[in-house]
Amino acid sequence: MIFEVLSVFPQVFEPYLSESILGRAWQRSLFEFVAHDLRTWTHDRHSTVDDAPFGGGQGMLMKCEPIFEAVRDISGQGKKRPHVIFFSPCGRRYSEKDAERLSSFDRILFVCGRYEGIDERAYALADEIVSVGDYVLTGGELAALVVIDSVVRLLPGVLGDDRSAKDESFSQGLLEYAQYTRPATFQGERVPEVLLSGDHGAVSAWRRRSSIERTARWRPDLLEGAELSEDEWSLVHETLGQRDCEATDV
Ligand code: SAM
């Protein structure tokens, strides 16, 4: 899988992508990465990529000509046209389901905005427009890293054990269960005994329950349409009841 980015700060990606799990995956060619400098597609002495917005207002906007030229040139290189993603806080909110969907593409080109954003006409080049959350970043580079990171870890061979991505939050529509490591007792607080029991069936049942409780407590919105047994729905209602009581107590 090839990730390409179009950015006015193409140097910011490599330090992050070179570390840890992503770094090892990159070294092992489990994915490829190319950063394109948008200024390559400018034709003036100052390599201008931005201009003042028509109608007035604060800040500068990214011009559409270099973006059109760059996306056309980059798309013409290589065997396959890339899937083109633009970033904007106005885009559709990104989720784990999108990471799963994007992991099946061969080639993705991310267009990173800066300044006050991008001339609206450039979005005609986008196959999709993505927001990484309801907040405003100074640029799309972090958003691109968020998407690349979340997709790469789903690629075969990247995580030590391919099952670990399937166990994680959101992959089954629930948050992940609570986890503990040594020491078994810390500041008087003991980890749940069942996790020390060696009984895999009991551990698995405890984890399912923990997953449901945590989802009901922290992200009940995820439970809409969840496939749970009658007992599990009772657990959800019990947890929601406790949560509401705790909120009133505060
Ligand atoms: N004026 C824009 C607005 O209010 O919607 C914000 C522009 S932002 C300062 C500059 C660039 O950062 C955007 O063009 C986009 O590429 C990126 N960006 C900022 N927040 C983002 C978010 N939540 N998700 C994805 N990209 C974001």
Side-chain angles (χ1 to χ4, degrees):
M1 178 162 194
I2 308 176
F3 299 101
E4 289 170 73
V5 291
L6 181 62
S7 162
V8 284
F9 296 103
Q11 70 282 9
V12 302
F13 299 93
E14 197 178 322
Y16 184 80
L17 293 176
S18 304
E19 292 293 332
S20 185
I21 292 176
L22 298 187
R24 286 194 292 277
W26 195 6
Q27 260 181 357
R28 290 166 58 211
S29 303
L30 296 179
F31 72 93
E32 290 174 51
F33 176 77
V34 183
H36 301 279
D37 187 346
L38 180 65
R39 294 188 197 279
T40 310
W41 286 274
T42 57
H43 303 287
D44 64 315
R45 216 155 46 93
H46 302 291
S47 303
T48 308
V49 291
D50 59 340
D51 208 336
F54 282 125
Q58 298 256 309
M60 301 291 269
L61 276 183
M62 291 179 77
K63 292 162 67 63
C64 54
E65 302 103 302
I67 298 179
F68 264 87
E69 227 181 279
V71 172
R72 192 197 54 211
D73 278 3
I74 295 166
S75 300
Q77 297 160 6
K79 283 190 214 123
K80 242 189 164 167
R81 181 195 165 273
H83 183 70
V84 179
I85 296 181
F86 275 57
F87 289 112
S88 165
C90 308
R92 205 168 45 78
R93 185 112 56 91
Y94 187 69
S95 73
E96 185 67 21
K97 281 213 161 37
D98 295 306
E100 282 162 24
R101 178 174 58 80
L102 294 179
S103 68
S104 63
F105 283 94
D106 293 325
R107 188 179 176 203
I108 303 180
L109 171 64
F110 300 104
V111 180
C112 304
R114 275 273 158 179
Y115 319 119
E116 279 307 308
I118 299 177
D119 184 302
E120 192 71 16
R121 291 165 290 186
Y123 291 112
L125 298 164
D127 291 310
E128 55 186 298
I129 306 171
V130 165
S131 163
V132 290
D134 291 347
Y135 43 80
V136 179
L137 300 166
T138 55
E141 289 75 11
L142 263 183
L145 283 171
V146 164
V147 173
I148 294 171
D149 187 318
S150 60
V151 172
V152 166
R153 61 198 301 292
L154 299 178
L155 299 178
V158 171
L159 297 182
D161 175 352
D162 280 347
R163 278 174 313 171
S164 43
K166 294 195 187 88
D167 270 359
E168 273 171 320
S169 296
F170 310 115
S171 59
Q172 316 284 325
L174 296 173
L175 298 182
E176 192 182 48
Y177 44 81
Q179 299 201 80
Y180 304 85
T181 184
R182 276 189 277 269
T185 305
F186 175 67
Q187 295 187 344
E189 197 168 332
R190 181 114 179 117
V191 309
E193 282 310 321
V194 61
L195 299 180
L196 310 175
S197 69
D199 178 341
H200 297 304
V203 169
S204 191
W206 183 89
R207 285 182 168 165
R208 172 84 183 163
R209 190 181 160 90
S210 166
S211 224
I212 293 167
E213 276 173 344
R214 281 153 69 89
T215 312
R217 186 170 285 269
W218 292 332
R219 290 293 306 277
D221 56 298
L222 295 176
L223 290 167
E224 210 176 294
E227 284 180 26
L228 303 182
S229 68
E230 224 170 277
D231 283 354
E232 289 174 338
W233 278 118
S234 303
L235 176 59
V236 167
H237 295 305
E238 200 181 299
T239 309
L240 286 174
Q242 281 166 6
R243 196 188 66 149
D244 292 345
C245 287
E246 284 161 15
T248 347
D249 288 348
V250 170

